[in-house]
Amino acid sequence: MDLLRFITAGSVDDGKSTLIGRLLYDSKSILADQLEALERQSKNREAGEIDLALLTDGLRAEREQGITIDVAYKYFSTPKRKFIIADAPGHIQYTRNMVTGASNANLIIILVDARNGIVEQTKRHSIIASLLNIPHVVVAVNKMDLVDFSQDVFNNIVIDYAEIAKALELKDITYIPISALRGDNIVEKSSNLDWYEGPVLLDFLENIPIEKDINLTHARLPVQYVIRPQTEDLHDYRGYAGKIISGIYKKGDEVIILPSGAKSVIKTIEIGGKEAEIAFAPQSVVIHLEDDVDISRGDTIVKTENLPKIDQELDVLLCWMDSKPLARGNKYFLQINSRTVRSVVKELEYKLDVNILEKDYSLQQAGLNDIVKARIKTSSPLAYDTYKELRANGGAILIDETSNVTVGACMIQ
């Protein structure tokens, strides 16, 4: 069974947490003790209703205010597929939380309140989905029960959103009318929406093909660990362990170790302790080379075709996640996959207004939740791809040197 990671986004009160609760409830993915606790905590239990939003709104402040603040992750599975759901906060002050939750998502569900149509938050979340290069977008038009399940209301929202999608170059978009509170078109087809001929939400999530989301042309293996037991039985054993983030590796392939540029040939491949002729993303492997090459954690083993870029200066679009401002000259650790190097912010080019896509070139420093274009210089060369071409090798984080806290999420341009 494969795994689909998806994130929900939308304005406050659009029903994100209720939608996830409904998915878990109707797909029988809630344990009996969870259901009992949910019934006790539900505000509407006297009326026999369960507050499904409580399944994901775990923080006390979230329950008191009726909003999502932090990213909540939920896991469930059906006979067809496993799922990891990230329930992201909708408010602009939690942009960093949404970026974190969406960074490795295959799909985003953008909720739109049928009564309000496309609003500023819808545009902002769509822009973030575009910046993060999320492959699949579902526009779920929620609360259709409050507009008498009107087809015209749904169609008008589809027309309005199509203009946004075209401007942002969002490619794979699906529109589904739903009522998360009542369960219409979540797991079962709703008779109230008999004019809608597409799939219900769970059926769509179960069957959307995600195999093509994995890049199998650009071979990238960041080395996590060098295995050297140096025992009597394994005196000459030297294996390079890591997760293949993209591409395919075969026994006998010529490879280059970056950033050093040393070359060798794959001698053997191990998967789960057994030899294999071939390995591909996203498998974890141990690779042995024909030559004793100087390789350590943070190096990347690549094939001779489709080479990544190697440089010490990076242009990045980054989301700032710290209360202390980001300014020119600040120094941080920069980590891309398993490689961590020292870096300095050379230039802040502009701040991006994620509501209207305008660029502010008068930027002196960036504050919490700002998205800015910056140039960063590293202390040693990095092997990287652009985020748009290969998300797995085009994303990096900035880490505070003193507190070791992650302060920035970078998309390399």
Side-chain angles (χ1 to χ4, degrees), residues 77-138:
S77 62
T78 68
K80 292 186 177 181
R81 180 171 272 172
K82 294 178 182 178
F83 302 91
I84 297 178
I85 317 170
D87 180 21
H91 198 276
I92 190 166
Q93 74 186 80
Y94 304 118
T95 297
R96 59 175 175 167
N97 305 61
M98 183 183 171
V99 169
T100 303
S103 59
N104 60 358
N106 305 95
L107 178 147
I108 182 170
I109 299 176
I110 297 178
L111 271 85
V112 176
D113 189 324
R115 298 169 301 175
N116 302 327
I118 305 300
V119 295
E120 187 177 278
Q121 297 278 58
T122 314
K123 296 175 184 176
R124 185 166 59 84
H125 293 148
S126 300
I127 289 167
I128 292 173
S130 173
L131 294 175
L132 291 171
N133 208 24
I134 299 177
H136 312 284
V137 178
V138 174

Side-chain angles (χ1 to χ4, degrees), residues 86-354:
D87 180 21
H91 198 276
I92 190 166
Q93 74 186 80
Y94 304 118
T95 297
R96 59 175 175 167
N97 305 61
M98 183 183 171
V99 169
T100 303
S103 59
N104 60 358
N106 305 95
L107 178 147
I108 182 170
I109 299 176
I110 297 178
L111 271 85
V112 176
D113 189 324
R115 298 169 301 175
N116 302 327
I118 305 300
V119 295
E120 187 177 278
Q121 297 278 58
T122 314
K123 296 175 184 176
R124 185 166 59 84
H125 293 148
S126 300
I127 289 167
I128 292 173
S130 173
L131 294 175
L132 291 171
N133 208 24
I134 299 177
H136 312 284
V137 178
V138 174
V139 178
V141 182
N142 192 24
K143 304 190 180 183
M144 289 296 296
D145 53 310
L146 300 181
V147 292
D148 297 324
F149 301 100
S150 168
Q151 184 176 4
D152 288 341
V153 169
F154 176 74
N155 288 343
N156 287 335
I157 290 172
V158 171
I159 292 167
D160 291 343
Y161 191 85
E163 292 182 14
I164 296 170
K166 185 177 180 182
L168 296 176
E169 298 182 353
L170 296 172
K171 297 177 181 68
D172 186 14
I173 305 168
T174 302
Y175 302 90
I176 304 177
I178 63 169
S179 169
L181 187 64
R182 294 167 49 119
D184 294 275
N185 273 5
I186 305 297
V187 173
E188 300 289 340
K189 201 91 171 172
S190 170
S191 58
N192 295 314
L193 296 160
D194 52 9
W195 45 264
Y196 170 71
E197 297 177 353
V200 299
L201 183 60
L202 183 60
D203 182 52
F204 178 81
L205 295 175
E206 284 182 324
N207 293 293
I208 183 170
I210 57 173
E211 299 82 10
K212 292 180 180 178
D213 296 347
I214 299 173
N215 183 314
L216 294 177
T217 58
H218 296 65
R220 308 284 185 264
L221 172 59
V223 176
Q224 292 277 355
Y225 190 69
V226 180
I227 304 173
R228 287 282 283 129
Q230 293 183 307
T231 61
E232 284 189 23
D233 295 340
L234 299 167
H235 187 269
D236 296 321
Y237 188 101
R238 186 193 296 266
Y240 307 104
K243 178 182 176 182
I244 301 173
I245 58 173
S246 61
I248 301 170
Y249 291 84
K250 297 177 185 175
K251 195 173 172 179
D253 279 345
E254 290 186 10
V255 293
I256 300 174
I257 289 76
L258 298 176
S260 71
K263 295 182 180 180
S264 189
V265 174
I266 295 177
K267 184 179 179 181
T268 54
I269 299 172
E270 291 179 31
I271 302 174
K274 297 179 181 178
E275 282 199 24
E277 292 292 318
I278 186 170
F280 49 85
Q283 291 177 319
S284 295
V285 299
V286 177
I287 279 183
H288 302 259
L289 301 178
E290 295 280 5
D291 309 284
D292 288 339
V293 185
D294 181 15
I295 301 176
S296 57
R297 174 181 167 84
D299 290 341
T300 305
I301 300 174
V302 304
K303 284 160 64 171
T304 51
E305 64 270 12
N306 297 313
L307 292 173
K309 299 175 177 64
I310 301 176
D311 207 336
Q312 285 184 247
E313 287 200 7
L314 310 175
D315 287 321
V316 303
L317 199 62
L318 69 85
C319 176
W320 191 243
M321 300 178 170
D322 196 27
S323 54
K324 291 182 286 186
L326 169 70
R328 189 182 290 106
N330 285 12
K331 295 179 180 180
Y332 305 97
F333 290 121
L334 183 143
Q335 181 175 327
I336 175 169
N337 292 311
S338 58
R339 187 169 181 81
T340 303
V341 296
R342 293 183 180 276
S343 69
V344 61
V345 179
K346 282 195 69 179
E347 185 182 342
L348 295 179
E349 188 176 333
Y350 61 77
K351 173 183 169 181
L352 183 69
D353 187 326
V354 291

Side-chain angles (χ1 to χ4, degrees), residues 66-84:
I67 62 170
T68 300
I69 294 173
D70 203 356
V71 181
Y73 292 95
K74 285 292 175 183
Y75 308 84
F76 79 105
S77 62
T78 68
K80 292 186 177 181
R81 180 171 272 172
K82 294 178 182 178
F83 302 91
I84 297 178

